[in-house]
Amino acid sequence: MMARRSAFFISDRTGLTSESMGEALLDQFEGVNFKRATYPFVDTPEKARAMVQIINNTNEQSGLRPLVFTSIIDNQIREIVKTSAGLNLSFFDAFLGKIESELGVQARHQVGRSHGIADTERYDARMEAVNFSLNHDDGISGKDLKDADVILMGVSRSGKTPTCLYLALQYGIRAANYPLTPDDLESTDLPRMVKAYKNKLFGLTIMPERLQAIRQERRPDSTYSSLNTCRREVADAQAMFRQHSVPFTNTTDKSVEELAVCIMQACKLKRRF
């Protein structure tokens, strides 16, 4: 078995950029067991030197050179981190110089605010969308559903809530969701609360076996979590979607990121900011 390899994600801000780009690269190496650690706000020489010591200690203890993914814009701090014993992979070193050369413009080399509140209108749009999704989660309220950009519909535990919140946070989409209950599924008609908004509906379905595993964790050995219940509810939900031409997708093997993009494309939604 291949030894576990350490991977550090280091940033002078939140670490989201170094994490997402680093993870995309690590994902290409199947069978390698990575021990991941994220260090945000490494924004002073002192913190950078402490980071170098952590990386070097890991290198000595494991005998394997750690992978170090950084998104640090300050040249001095970046150069300090690069003195570590790790394999240093700087996203700014890789791309910034090439972009400067292509544009003929010098980069400002200042810490950005891509994950901060640089644009209050953009931030407010995100928070407004999040509040909308929370206020319209699990069919809590039919009030103002006319203002929804999309209404996700599916059986309990099919992924509606996390997908709504991701759409709100990443795209500013006002996403509501409605859970299809056993009572709803006794009829092939659309539920009364959402019937008037058929053009906003998007269905989520899931493999019954996966649904059972999720429900089993919540209510073990119950009728709710039985495989027969899951099969019946999923089949009834899909029949409803097809009868009313509600577009739908299977969430079983999709991440929330993939689901969000699928919904954005299928519903022809546009990022609000």
Side-chain angles (χ1 to χ4, degrees):
M1 180 182 293
M2 187 176 292
R4 198 176 189 193
R5 199 71 177 261
S6 291
F8 292 88
F9 306 111
I10 306 171
S11 174
D12 47 15
R13 296 300 297 167
T14 63
L16 294 176
T17 299
S18 57
E19 268 189 355
S20 60
M21 296 182 73
E23 287 287 7
L25 294 171
L26 295 183
D27 188 55
Q28 298 300 309
F29 299 92
E30 291 185 12
V32 181
N33 187 8
F34 293 105
K35 180 181 180 182
R36 297 162 169 82
T38 301
Y39 290 85
F41 301 112
V42 178
D43 52 8
T44 66
E46 292 74 24
K47 291 179 182 178
R49 283 189 279 271
M51 195 69 250
V52 168
Q53 191 59 52
I54 292 171
I55 296 168
N56 289 349
N57 288 343
T58 300
N59 179 62
E60 292 175 7
Q61 292 167 10
S62 67
L64 295 169
R65 185 157 64 145
L67 306 180
V68 182
F69 300 96
T70 65
S71 57
I72 299 173
I73 192 61
D74 184 276
N75 286 327
Q76 180 188 9
I77 296 171
R78 192 165 70 249
E79 290 302 318
I80 292 173
V81 173
K82 285 165 63 177
T83 65
S84 78
L87 173 64
N88 289 280
L89 303 162
S90 166
F91 296 116
F92 284 111
D93 280 342
F95 302 114
L96 207 57
K98 293 181 179 179
I99 297 173
E100 285 177 334
S101 177
E102 178 66 25
L103 298 179
V105 176
Q106 185 73 20
R108 58 193 178 94
H109 292 274
Q110 295 176 0
V111 173
R113 300 298 298 275
S114 60
H115 300 295
I117 311 180
D119 184 334
T120 55
E121 287 188 13
R122 171 177 173 158
Y123 185 79
D124 289 345
R126 293 171 67 198
M127 293 305 101
E128 188 273 333
V130 169
N131 286 329
F132 184 92
S133 292
L134 290 173
N135 290 333
H136 296 83
D137 183 43
D138 263 354
I140 290 174
S141 171
K143 183 182 179 182
D144 299 326
L145 274 182
K146 66 182 186 301
D147 296 326
D149 296 310
V150 65
I151 302 170
L152 302 188
M153 193 164 64
V155 299
S156 172
R157 314 307 288 179
S158 56
K160 300 180 300 299
T161 296
T163 305
C164 281
L165 290 175
Y166 188 87
L167 284 166
L169 274 170
Q170 295 298 320
Y171 300 102
I173 296 298
R174 291 190 293 263
N177 78 74
Y178 183 88
L180 290 171
T181 66
D183 287 342
D184 291 324
L185 296 171
E186 286 180 359
S187 168
T188 55
D189 199 11
L190 290 172
R192 183 173 54 84
M193 183 183 288
V194 298
K195 191 171 183 177
Y197 309 106
K198 178 183 172 182
N199 63 324
K200 296 176 183 284
L201 295 178
F202 189 91
L204 298 184
T205 187
I206 186 172
M207 292 294 292
E209 293 77 12
R210 175 59 181 153
L211 182 61
Q212 182 200 25
I214 295 171
R215 288 184 173 185
Q216 184 71 8
E217 291 182 2
R218 191 178 188 189
R219 297 184 198 168
D221 304 320
S222 63
T223 302
Y224 168 79
S225 62
S226 76
L227 185 55
N228 284 338
T229 298
C230 293
R231 283 174 174 163
R232 183 176 64 253
E233 289 188 10
V234 168
D236 289 345
Q238 290 181 175
M240 180 185 291
F241 298 153
R242 291 190 178 102
Q243 178 169 334
H244 296 280
S245 300
V246 174
F248 66 94
T249 191
N250 193 311
T251 68
T252 306
D253 297 315
K254 289 187 176 73
S255 67
V256 69
E257 295 89 348
E258 290 172 315
L259 282 171
V261 172
C262 176
I263 293 165
M264 292 287 290
Q265 291 181 334
C267 299
K268 295 182 172 56
L269 300 175
K270 294 184 178 180
R271 187 189 294 269
R272 195 170 295 280
F273 45 78

